[in-house]
Amino acid sequence: MEHYLYLRHLVSQLLKDSPLTSEEVVADVRHLMSVGEEELAFDTMCSWIFEDSLPITSAYHDRLVAAARELGTLNSITRLDELVED
């Protein structure tokens, strides 16, 4: 149970700090977390960041990489490095 809460907190913090501005996308990610789908929530968040070509910092990218490792979803972060702007 502790690990589950840790993953939920991890994804929540990344969502809070994300460049996403669409209320609908943020709501979708939150909904996925509320039903215990943290991996899918993380993947959805990363997909929309890439789809909308939202710039991210290298520090935020590093956090995404670390989270992808924790969640076992390395495919979620594919090509996000292209969006890094410092």
Side-chain angles (χ1 to χ4, degrees):
M1 183 67 162
E2 266 185 48
H3 188 66
Y4 164 76
L5 293 175
Y6 165 74
L7 294 177
R8 177 177 278 192
H9 178 73
L10 179 66
V11 176
S12 292
Q13 285 303 117
L14 287 166
L15 178 62
K16 180 181 154 222
D17 298 338
S18 79
L20 293 172
T21 57
S22 167
E23 298 279 332
E24 187 175 310
V25 171
V26 171
D28 285 347
V29 172
R30 286 191 179 129
H31 171 72
L32 289 167
M33 285 190 297
S34 76
V35 295
E37 293 288 344
E38 283 70 29
E39 294 87 353
L40 185 55
F42 179 76
D43 186 65
T44 300
M45 181 179 65
C46 291
S47 293
W48 277 106
I49 290 171
F50 185 77
E51 184 71 27
D52 289 347
S53 299
L54 300 171
I56 57 176
T57 65
S58 59
Y60 187 74
H61 181 263
D62 291 346
R63 290 173 58 202
L64 291 172
V65 170
R69 287 186 181 127
E70 279 289 327
L71 293 160
T73 59
L74 289 174
N75 287 338
S76 298
I77 57 167
T78 303
R79 299 183 62 192
L80 286 180
D81 59 328
E82 297 173 15
L83 302 174
V84 172
E85 292 183 1
D86 277 329

